[in-house]
Amino acid sequence: MADFTPLAAAVGGALIGLSSVLLMLLTGRVAGISGIFGGLLNPRSGEIGWRIAFFAGLILAPLLAGLIGHGMQPPQMPASWAVIVAAGLLVGFGTRLAGGCTSGHGICGISRMSARSIAATVIFMAVAIATVALTHHVFGG
Amino acid sequence: MAMIASLLCGLIFGAGLLISGMVQPTKVLAFLDVFGAWDPSLAVVMMAALAVSAPGFMLAKGRSRPLLAVRSFWPARDDIDRPLVIGSAMFGVGWGLVGLCPGPALESLATLSPGVIVFVAAMAAGMVLRDLWQRSRPAKPPEEALAQRAS
């Protein structure tokens, strides 16, 4: 547990929660990232601008943080391109099929005590934990 | 005004992912690695987010309409069907392989990391594939759909 950062996690988490509440209170939309992104790939009129604005803010955040000296490190990705592509395809297809990801089901859905979202969150968490257990401990990593 | 609100919400969301460390796949994978050197930070992120969003959504639900738009888009469904289960399991495998879910992946585009760009392109392709596959399937007759729901 050497890397446990409870304070940063609590502050960051509260901001994520605040963002979801504000988006619903102000614009009436669910802050589900896969849904907001998916809507851009299958665009309908009146459904594009707010989605692009949201992603502009999302990508602006690390750039602004960089200006005040807290730039974001490029994420550490797997060495294998095949794994990156396969994982991307699974995340895209899966979240679209399930109608949500960590934000839409995990935060917005659970906040509303939606049985559908609670089931989705339990499943993707459990499967992700099993995947890490297999790749890191069973097959070595 | 609604555009500025969306931009601001994206900015706050991005700041939250950044401060919590959830933009780093290593941090997410350390949470998912319960049999290794487990880092419970992601659980704290979820709990803190829910502590704010649960009362916030209750407040939003009580209002007849949002402040800057004509209507709210609340999810209508609450059933647990096969696409939900299979889709969530697929997402879980992909998330466990790389440690990126859609939010952090899109935010990480800011670093112009080639690995992230390829991941996001594959994610977009996966979403489009699912939509094409869905459209290619004949719609189920209502009786059959109802019977399936009951079983």
Side-chain angles (χ1 to χ4, degrees):
Chain A
M1 279 221 245
D3 298 318
F4 185 37
T5 49
L7 187 63
V11 172
L15 286 174
I16 294 169
L18 176 70
S19 164
S20 333
V21 172
L22 285 178
L23 195 69
M24 185 43 93
L25 265 179
L26 297 174
T27 73
R29 301 291 182 154
V30 172
I33 306 299
S34 58
I36 301 177
F37 185 60
L40 278 179
L41 301 171
N42 190 6
R44 277 179 246 156
S45 68
E47 284 293 323
I48 301 167
W50 75 273
R51 295 170 195 266
I52 290 178
F54 185 90
F55 286 125
L58 189 68
I59 292 174
L60 213 54
L63 300 178
L64 290 180
L67 289 181
I68 54 166
H70 293 275
M72 180 185 166
Q73 295 298 313
Q76 199 179 320
M77 301 293 284
S80 157
W81 290 103
V83 171
I84 294 176
V85 170
L89 283 170
L90 283 165
V91 169
F93 197 100
T95 54
R96 199 83 178 130
L97 188 62
C101 59
T102 343
S103 47
H105 279 313
I107 293 166
C108 299
I110 292 184
S111 297
R112 300 181 297 112
M113 293 301 286
S114 151
R116 188 171 163 79
S117 292
I118 293 169
T121 307
V122 168
I123 293 167
F124 65 65
M125 284 272 183
V127 172
I129 287 169
T131 303
V132 170
L134 284 174
T135 53
H136 289 211
H137 300 294
V138 178
F139 301 112
Chain B
M1 274 310 278
M3 291 289 172
I4 296 169
S6 295
L7 184 109
L8 201 70
C9 287
L11 204 59
I12 299 172
F13 202 100
L17 286 176
L18 212 56
I19 292 169
S20 65
M22 294 304 124
V23 280
Q24 293 303 334
T26 44
K27 189 97 178 138
V28 173
L29 291 174
F31 168 78
L32 295 172
D33 191 6
V34 291
F35 303 109
W38 190 51
D39 173 1
S41 301
L42 191 148
V44 176
V45 175
M46 285 281 287
M47 284 188 284
L50 290 171
V52 174
S53 60
F57 272 56
M58 209 116 77
L59 183 77
K61 197 112 216 193
R63 300 182 54 90
S64 56
R65 49 166 289 200
L67 291 164
L68 304 175
V70 188
R71 59 169 286 225
S72 295
F73 292 82
W74 291 102
R77 296 179 53 185
D78 200 24
D79 56 315
I80 300 167
D81 60 353
R82 213 152 64 165
L84 181 88
V85 172
I86 296 170
S88 298
M90 290 174 76
F91 168 42
V93 173
W95 193 33
L97 283 176
V98 171
L100 279 179
C101 53
L106 289 160
E107 180 166 12
S108 299
L109 287 176
T111 67
L112 298 175
S113 143
V116 170
I117 295 171
V118 170
F119 181 87
V120 170
M123 183 174 90
M127 290 184 171
V128 170
L129 276 176
R130 183 265 167 195
D131 288 354
L132 292 176
W133 173 72
Q134 180 79 6
R135 234 171 284 157
S136 72
R137 283 166 12 130
K140 262 189 206 126
E143 301 90 331
E144 198 186 318
L146 277 177
Q148 237 177 28
R149 195 159 300 166
S151 65

